[in-house]
Structure formats: C-alpha cells, structure tokens
Amino acid sequence: MKITLILASYDSGHYHGGMGQGPDALIAGGLVDALTIAGHEVAVADIGRVGDDQEREIATGFAVCNAVSGEVRIAIDRGRFPIVLAGNCLTSAGAIAGAGADAIIWADQHGDLNTPETSVYGFLDGMALATVLGLCWRPMAAAIPGFKPIDPSRCVLLNARDLDPAEEELLKTLPVVRTECPGVGPATAKLKAAGAKSVHMHLDLDVHDPKELQANRYAISGGPSPEQLRDAACAMALAVPVVGITISAYDPAFDAQGDVPPLVGELLNDLIATIEGR
C-alpha cells in the first residue's frame, strides 16, 4: 500500500512540546522502516509550524486541523492512505475532514466529550470528540476544509474509562456506541447498521493499560494490552471501511525504554494488512 505519514507535532498549541514530540519519536523509533519492510511505500509529510507565534491553544489547535485536512486530501488524491501522527486528539477533526469520513472509531481512555460549558479544566483536547460530533466549537470546526460533524450514532467509543460526570451524563443522551476490547463485534455491527461508509480510526495510545504500555502522563489503570487493541482494531477494520487512521498522545518522556514505536509499527502493519485484504 502507498502510505503517507502526516506529522502534526503539537501539544496544546506548543510545537514539539510534550506529546508534540511523539510524531518525531515514532519516526526516530523506526516506524518508516517497519512499514517499508512490510512492503509499503511510505512518504512523510510534516505540517511544520502553523498558527500564530503566541501558540494560543485554541487558535493553534484548529490551525493544525486545517493543515492536516489539506495533507490528508493531498494524500488521498495521490492514491495514498493517510495516517496522521498527532500530539493532540483534536487533530482527528482535520483528518476526518480531509478524508470526508462519515463515522468514527474513537479508542481512548478518556471520553473527550466535554464542552466549554462542562469542562472543569478548560483543556481543549478534552473536547476533541465533542467537536468531531458537532457538539461544540462549531464555527471553528466548520472552517476546517471539508469538515462535517459525525452523527453520534456513527461513533464507537472504545475502552473509555476515565470520564467526567458531565461526560457520563451526556453519553446517556447520545446514541454513541460504547464498547471494550475484546468483544467489539456488536459495536461494529451497530456502526454498519447506522450507515457508516467511510470510517476514521482514532487511536489515542493512552487507551492501553499502563502496566502493559504507558504512552503519557494521563494513563490510568485498566484498558487493553497492545495485543488486545491490535486484535480489536483489526476486527473493526475488517467489518467496516477504514479511510484513515490517527495515532495520538504519545509523550516519549514517559517511555524510557522506547517500547511504544515498535508496538505502533506492529499495530499499523496489522491494520493496513486488514484494510488491504478487506
């Protein structure tokens, strides 16, 4: 497969800070080599610096989305499969827009379903999925080229276990499909029944059990092992058409042994093989 890795190296508006170091660390850890050895033709596109010099979180976060949308569209127009390596989860809004995805699989220990009205900490990334579903930041999201909010009935939330009370209450009112791995078959069936035709797969690496793999400072106990996530992701990719992938929230400062990059390589190689063979 022809693949474009799109680097969006930002964390909360800061270029190459915190989790914004993750994309380069994945490349330095051998991700391109792992994909190439598996027979794929890999190109790398880096959005570089975007937004304003003040690195304001909201303005820069949406500027990142705008740039990623453009790079995803370029990749698809060239017959390449887009994989976004991002610091922040909000970046998936740009990946979804660029690919014209109409459904989302969101694997994350967090719900990312706060809004400016409900957020306790004011953390923009805690509103990422809410933005994707059209629940907040509507004017700024609408300015992302190609963005259309995803209908909540075409959203699968995988292994979210660290939710704020307001997120739990919101989920009671939404047709979002919650599931855990293993056992994702019924959730994927609901996604198909809801009419999903082009699915973006968002994989926040802190979804993993930190005893098995710790990706950042936010990880709490529970969650799948790398093998369990890989099996679940492949099962879903076999059942529904995946048009793009985002890998987010890797902070190499919390991975002293460099365990994450090779596991991401295995995850992506298995996923791509599944997508190709579908």
Side-chain angles (χ1 to χ4, degrees), residues 77-165:
D77 286 347
R78 293 176 176 172
R80 310 185 70 90
F81 185 83
I83 299 174
V84 179
L85 307 180
N88 286 144
C89 294
L90 180 68
T91 307
S92 274
I96 289 162
D102 67 1
I104 181 76
I105 293 168
W106 196 273
D108 197 326
Q109 79 165 21
H110 305 100
D112 292 346
L113 282 166
N114 280 305
T115 69
E117 291 77 21
T118 66
S119 176
V120 175
Y121 302 106
F123 183 36
L124 182 62
D125 231 36
M127 311 177 206
L129 182 54
T131 302
V132 166
L133 300 181
L135 305 179
C136 63
W137 300 110
R138 294 182 187 93
M140 299 192 78
I144 302 170
F147 180 81
K148 294 181 181 178
I150 301 294
D151 187 311
S153 68
R154 294 198 295 271
C155 172
V156 171
L157 183 57
L158 178 63
N159 274 102
R161 60 192 184 275
D162 185 13
L163 301 178
D164 293 340

Side-chain angles (χ1 to χ4, degrees), residues 49-64:
R49 284 188 174 273
V50 299
D52 59 29
D53 292 338
Q54 297 178 41
E55 295 188 326
R56 293 174 294 184
E57 181 185 23
I58 298 169
T60 303
F62 282 97
V64 169

Side-chain angles (χ1 to χ4, degrees), residues 1 40 81 201 229-242 245 266-278:
M1 181 182 283
H40 305 296
F81 185 83
M201 187 172 285
L229 179 67
R230 192 159 64 241
D231 289 348
C234 289
M236 290 186 286
L238 186 62
V240 295
V242 174
I245 299 168
E266 292 175 22
L267 170 64
L268 288 176
N269 271 326
D270 283 1
L271 260 177
I272 293 162
T274 302
I275 292 166
E276 279 188 305
R278 185 176 181 273

